[in-house]
Amino acid sequence: ASAAPETAVSKKGPYAGVFHGTVYAPDGSKANMSLDLTHEGNVVEGTVFLGEGLSIDAGLCGAAAIPASSLVASGKTSAVNPKKLLATSVFDVNGITVKVDLDSQVQGDTLKANAKIDLPWLCGSDPVITGTLHRA
């Protein structure tokens, strides 16, 4: 009988796990958020769950409540610092393409994140959503 082939052991990164917390918009609105992430090598993937309550003031383009939702996201950690994640996502909001630039850092069981919403130039300044989440 032949021996079973050895399987590669993957090293899980600091973003692996489930995180819960609250995110805040500049207008003072807030919503609960949960992240269910995998982190292998420098690749971070998972599902983002956003609760009700967050609104975004888009200046001249008006304000909008962000509905409760979930979405799949992915990004890569820095080659020199696996605790830092920079990612960009693009969303369609009422026919307008909106880019979100995420900058996050994990320290132990705490994930701190800033998400800059890159609005069309005619709307005004780009709001930044901030949040601190804790590993479940």
Side-chain angles (χ1 to χ4, degrees):
S2 63
E6 290 188 33
T7 58
V9 176
S10 63
K11 182 176 182 330
K12 299 206 181 312
Y15 280 88
V18 176
F19 295 86
H20 300 290
T22 304
V23 292
Y24 299 87
D27 68 0
S29 65
K30 62 183 180 178
N32 292 327
M33 178 178 273
S34 294
L35 306 174
D36 187 355
L37 304 174
T38 61
H39 183 180
E40 293 189 25
N42 70 333
V43 176
V44 178
E45 297 177 319
T47 306
V48 178
F49 302 96
L50 180 66
E52 296 273 339
L54 195 66
S55 62
I56 300 298
D57 182 352
L60 296 174
C61 296
I66 307 300
S69 57
S70 67
L71 61 105
V72 175
S74 66
K76 292 185 177 182
T77 55
S78 164
V80 295
N81 183 0
K83 295 180 180 182
K84 184 159 184 70
L85 174 68
L86 299 173
T88 300
S89 296
V90 177
F91 300 94
D92 180 73
V93 179
N94 297 329
I96 297 173
T97 300
V98 176
K99 184 173 85 166
V100 178
D101 294 316
L102 175 71
D103 180 352
S104 67
Q105 182 90 20
V106 170
Q107 293 293 336
D109 289 334
T110 301
L111 186 155
K112 292 188 177 192
N114 293 321
K116 180 179 125 187
I117 300 173
D118 187 11
L119 298 172
W121 66 270
L122 61 99
C123 295
S125 63
D126 297 334
V128 176
I129 297 170
T130 60
T132 300
L133 295 90
H134 301 281
R135 193 180 312 272

